Structures are given as C-alpha cells and as structure tokens.
Amino acid sequence: MTKNELKDFLDTKVRQYNNPKFIESDPIQIPHLFTQKEDIEIAGFLTASIAWGNRKSIITNAKRLMDLLDNAPFDFVMYHSPKDLETLIHFVHRTFNGDDCKQFIKSLQHIYKNHNGLESIFNTNAKKDSLQHAISNFKSVFFEIEHLPRTQKHISDPLKNSAAKRINMMLRWFVRRDNSGVDFGIWKSLSPKQLSCPLDVHSGNVARKLGLLKRKQNDAKALYELDQTLRQLDPSDPVKYDFALFGLGVFEGF
C-alpha cells in the first residue's frame, strides 16, 4: 500500500472501532460507570493499572475493585479509614495483590491532597510532543511517600525503556476528545498530539505487518518509532490509530 492508501485503510478501521460498541468489551467501560471527573480518573487509573491478561478477567476484577471502593472511588480515596483499607487485602489480579491495592489508594490520596490531582502531575512535566517524561515523573511522585518496594513494579517508567502501555492507554482515555463517545477528553490542559500509542502485543504485531514499526521489541524505543510514524498520518490526533491497530489485532486476527 502507498502511504495514502495505508492512511485511508487505517482511517476506515478507526471509524469502525471508535464508537460506543467498543466500550462493551473493553476495560474503558469501568470509568464510563461514573460522571464526576475525579471518579472517572481514579476508576480509569486503577482499571488501567490491572489491564494485562484476559480482557474479561480485567473487567471482572475492575468491577470487583469498584465494589470494594463502595462505587465511589474518589470519596474512598480521600476519606478512607485504616479499617476501610483492610477490605482491600484479599483483592488479587495476577501479580497485583491486596498490599499493592492499599498502597495505590494511599498514593492516590497523597496526589489529590498534595499535588492537585492526577491531571496536574502529568501537565506539569509534559513536553509539547510527548508525555513520556511526565509518566516517569508521575511514578516518582506516586512513590514519594512510604511504600512497599514490590509495588513499584506496577507502574512503568518509559525512561527505563518501558513502553508503559497501561499508562499510555489511560492517557488516551483522559486526553483524546472527539464525538465518538469512547474516550473522555476530560484533561483539557493536555493535547491529543502529545499522546503515544498504547503499544502491546496486538498493536505491535499489526503495526509491523503494516510497515509502521520495524523494531521487534515492544519497548520505549519501539514506541518512539511508532509515534513518529503515526504522527505523519495525523499530527493532531495520532493515537486515534490505536483503535485501528488494536481492532485489527484483537477482533480480526490481522
């Protein structure tokens, strides 16, 4: 395919998958249960944090976690008691356990009480064409309070060559804004042009088959390469192509 043909093909796939039906089988349905900005942020962050493995399992466990937070995630984060935290101790999703969950709630409270919330942290360290340094700084802030060393592995650092798929996915949810009804667009201080594609096995394999990506590992270097390619197709909203790459890989076995 020529570059124009490839763009037309991918644009068609974006339109096919970037619509409310996508929500029904995707973890993004969890933050869609809420309307308050802070509830959406916390539900989205926690859901994205456990978004690896079987998608049905991710959704099931994210719903369970929302139940444990009394389906009021922001209130729970801000006003929980030590006894409330103990209700989380039996939560498990793969290697993310109850101790990790308790730490995440404490760190989120610290962020909302002392750093003006999640959006403020990412905006403070954003670059005009990338949020990868902002992700690395976010990890530092998240763990600047006393914490269990084991929990650090659950937040990736792009400056240590991670593709940071889960946080990049979360950023897409909160920053991208269009009329499709899938992504939220609630973080007005950031722009879709700063986003990076959530790079995983599915999107990476499809990107390679289409000639969008040459690097074999799904790491920060591959993410940068894919970023540059997608920005050529749409500089203002490159990450809309996540819908095409993911849809082709997961739903069509491309």
Side-chain angles (χ1 to χ4, degrees):
M1 285 188 283
T2 66
K3 181 178 177 181
N4 287 338
E5 289 172 338
L6 178 59
K7 176 174 169 53
D8 288 344
F9 172 69
L10 290 173
D11 285 342
T12 298
K13 291 300 176 180
V14 171
R15 290 190 293 271
Q16 180 179 344
Y17 293 112
N18 184 22
N19 62 71
K21 288 185 178 180
F22 182 85
I23 299 171
E24 297 172 6
S25 61
D26 192 79
I28 200 174
Q29 66 181 262
I30 304 301
H32 269 288
L33 297 171
F34 304 96
T35 55
Q36 181 183 346
K37 178 177 183 281
E38 292 81 4
D39 281 332
I40 293 170
E41 289 174 344
I42 292 171
F45 170 69
L46 293 173
T47 299
S49 296
I50 63 168
W52 82 99
N54 179 275
R55 294 170 81 217
K56 288 184 179 179
S57 176
I58 294 165
I59 293 166
T60 297
N61 286 332
K63 285 180 178 177
R64 179 174 173 239
L65 182 52
M66 293 306 106
D67 288 340
L68 291 170
L69 302 181
D70 300 325
N71 289 299
F74 182 61
D75 279 352
F76 190 99
V77 162
M78 297 304 291
Y79 307 115
H80 65 266
S81 67
K83 184 178 179 181
D84 293 329
L85 284 182
E86 290 308 311
T87 64
L88 306 177
I89 196 62
H90 298 297
F91 180 82
V92 178
H93 177 80
R94 298 176 73 91
T95 63
F96 187 94
N97 67 19
D99 286 328
D100 300 319
C101 192
K102 289 164 62 177
Q103 183 64 57
F104 267 46
I105 298 302
K106 292 176 183 178
S107 291
L108 283 168
Q109 184 187 68
H110 170 68
I111 284 170
Y112 280 92
K113 282 189 173 181
N114 300 298
H115 292 280
N116 200 31
L118 287 170
E119 180 180 2
S120 177
I121 291 177
F122 282 95
N123 182 45
T124 299
N125 292 275
K127 295 190 174 184
K128 66 177 183 178
D129 60 351
S130 176
L131 296 178
Q132 301 313 293
H133 280 79
I135 294 174
S136 181
N137 179 74
F138 166 72
K139 180 169 185 174
S140 296
V141 173
F142 197 79
F143 292 114
E144 69 184 7
I145 63 171
E146 185 178 356
H147 63 276
L148 295 172
R150 61 154 281 126
T151 305
Q152 290 192 31
K153 68 184 179 183
H154 292 298
I155 295 186
S156 301
D157 186 347
L159 300 190
K160 293 184 178 178
N161 204 31
S162 170
K165 174 254 181 178
R166 286 170 282 172
I167 296 185
N168 280 310
M169 180 180 71
M170 178 198 78
L171 290 169
R172 194 207 84 203
W173 292 354
F174 296 160
V175 177
R176 273 199 81 250
R177 37 192 175 268
D178 57 22
N179 296 318
S180 71
V182 181
D183 293 324
F184 293 92
I186 54 175
W187 284 7
K188 307 299 184 183
S189 63
L190 296 168
S191 168
K193 68 183 180 182
Q194 296 169 287
L195 296 172
S196 294
C197 187
L199 178 61
D200 64 7
V201 172
H202 303 292
S203 57
N205 287 344
V206 173
R208 291 179 185 94
K209 290 178 181 178
L210 292 173
L212 299 169
L213 175 63
K214 294 181 180 178
R215 186 171 174 81
K216 294 181 180 180
Q217 299 96 323
N218 290 328
D219 57 11
K221 293 176 183 176
L223 184 69
Y224 179 79
E225 181 186 339
L226 183 59
D227 278 351
Q228 303 315 301
T229 308
L230 296 181
R231 278 161 169 68
Q232 292 177 23
L233 298 178
D234 190 337
S236 64
D237 188 16
V239 182
K240 72 181 184 184
Y241 293 112
D242 180 36
F243 289 100
L245 299 179
F246 184 80
L248 283 165
V250 172
F251 301 120
E252 300 185 35
F254 184 85

